[in-house]
Amino acid sequence: AQKITQTQPGMFVQEKEAVTLDCTYDTSDPSYGLFWYKQPSSGEMIFLIYQGSYDQQNATEGRYSLNFQKARKSANLVISASQLGDSAMYFCAMREGEDNNQGGKLIFGQGTELSVKP
Amino acid sequence: EAGVTQFPSHSVIEKGQTVTLRCDPISGHDNLYWYRRVMGKEIKFLLHFVKESKQDESGMPNNRFLAERTGGTYSTLKVQPAELEDSGVYFCASSQDRTGGYGETQYFGPGTRLLVL
């Protein structure tokens, strides 16, 4: 069954340091996409980064990078040089299938609350 | 370009009442999704529209929930009658998805916080 697991309910990091948020997934579909979203206290869900199952290289977007280890079924988010504004809830999500007819719904993990300390 | 908008931002109602949530997707996005996060739990899929058609409604919890997307533009999600367990945050997301594929990014609205007393 499809599943996303985020084992860290809460994390603390010192400002300007790097932090890794863990995400493991389970799927039998060879084609899938992995996403990270950020939810600050204001409530909106902000798309951060995407990794496709066939991508050879780890995705990067500015200070965000995705440490994709396919054999281990993990897709950890790395935030470099943490800033106070990075304090938020972070969700890992997965979408299966190449064919849009399979639906397109995202499966989410329970989230990790990141707090950046000054 | 305007993002996904949702109305209202908050709603407090009593058990047994009716509430209607609205979502306006990003202009030109054919795909519209509803999700829900009950307190402390993961965000769960409710249903998916492609234009005005329901593509997947496997996540709808029961027949007290009715979603519509007339004309393929905005969508409404009605809860009637509301129960205590319906409390949570209801998110709407949209994607263009013209070419299909698992890499299509869904863009979320700010959510509607529903509290049923």
Side-chain angles (χ1 to χ4, degrees):
Chain A
Q2 324 147 12
K3 189 175 181 181
I4 294 281
T5 303
Q6 295 179 253
T7 57
Q8 306 153 314
M11 289 277 289
F12 289 92
V13 65
Q14 205 68 35
E15 192 178 10
K16 300 182 183 177
E17 292 186 349
V19 63
T20 298
L21 307 183
D22 294 341
C23 173
T24 58
Y25 60 92
D26 188 18
T27 179
S28 56
D29 196 321
S31 305
Y32 52 89
L34 296 158
F35 302 80
W36 277 91
Y37 287 86
K38 171 185 178 182
Q39 186 184 36
S41 56
S42 51
E44 74 270 30
M45 293 274 285
I46 303 166
F47 165 71
L48 294 179
I49 195 167
Y50 160 78
Q51 180 87 40
S53 58
Y54 297 112
D55 293 345
Q56 296 296 314
Q57 293 189 331
N58 287 341
T60 61
E61 288 287 349
R63 294 186 299 110
Y64 304 108
S65 60
L66 203 153
N67 184 1
F68 181 47
Q69 298 188 42
K70 195 170 182 177
R72 294 185 177 183
K73 292 190 175 179
S74 74
N76 298 339
L77 177 70
V78 181
I79 305 175
S80 64
S82 298
Q83 301 173 356
L84 296 179
D86 293 334
S87 294
M89 181 73 83
Y90 289 80
F91 292 98
C92 180
M94 175 175 67
R95 177 183 177 178
E96 292 180 325
E98 289 187 346
D99 187 348
N100 188 42
N101 288 333
Q102 292 193 24
K105 66 184 177 186
L106 291 172
I107 308 298
F108 284 88
Q110 289 196 315
T112 295
E113 181 83 46
L114 177 66
S115 297
V116 180
K117 295 181 175 180
Chain B
E1 179 181 308
V4 178
T5 58
Q6 293 186 246
F7 182 84
S9 59
H10 295 78
S11 181
V12 181
I13 61 172
E14 293 189 350
K15 176 182 173 181
Q17 290 185 323
T18 298
V19 63
T20 300
L21 313 180
R22 172 170 170 148
C23 168
D24 287 77
I26 294 172
S27 177
H29 281 194
D30 290 339
N31 292 273
L32 188 149
Y33 302 83
W34 284 98
Y35 294 87
R36 175 174 76 168
R37 187 180 189 210
V38 174
M39 189 188 308
K41 298 195 174 180
E42 64 269 26
I43 301 168
K44 287 199 171 179
F45 166 81
L46 295 178
L47 88 159
H48 170 205
F49 283 100
V50 177
K51 297 185 179 179
E52 66 275 7
S53 300
K54 292 177 185 175
Q55 176 80 8
D56 180 359
E57 50 184 328
S58 61
M60 295 287 264
N62 51 60
N63 58 10
R64 295 185 294 104
F65 289 75
L66 175 63
E68 295 180 328
R69 192 183 182 193
T70 307
T73 54
Y74 71 91
S75 174
T76 58
L77 179 65
K78 180 190 286 188
V79 185
Q80 179 183 29
E83 298 289 345
L84 300 179
E85 63 264 25
D86 299 332
S87 296
V89 182
Y90 290 76
F91 290 102
C92 175
S94 72
S95 72
Q96 196 166 31
D97 218 357
R98 295 257 167 80
T99 58
Y102 51 83
E104 187 74 15
T105 298
Q106 294 179 24
Y107 296 94
F108 281 73
T112 293
R113 281 142 192 80
L114 175 64
L115 179 60
V116 182
L117 300 176

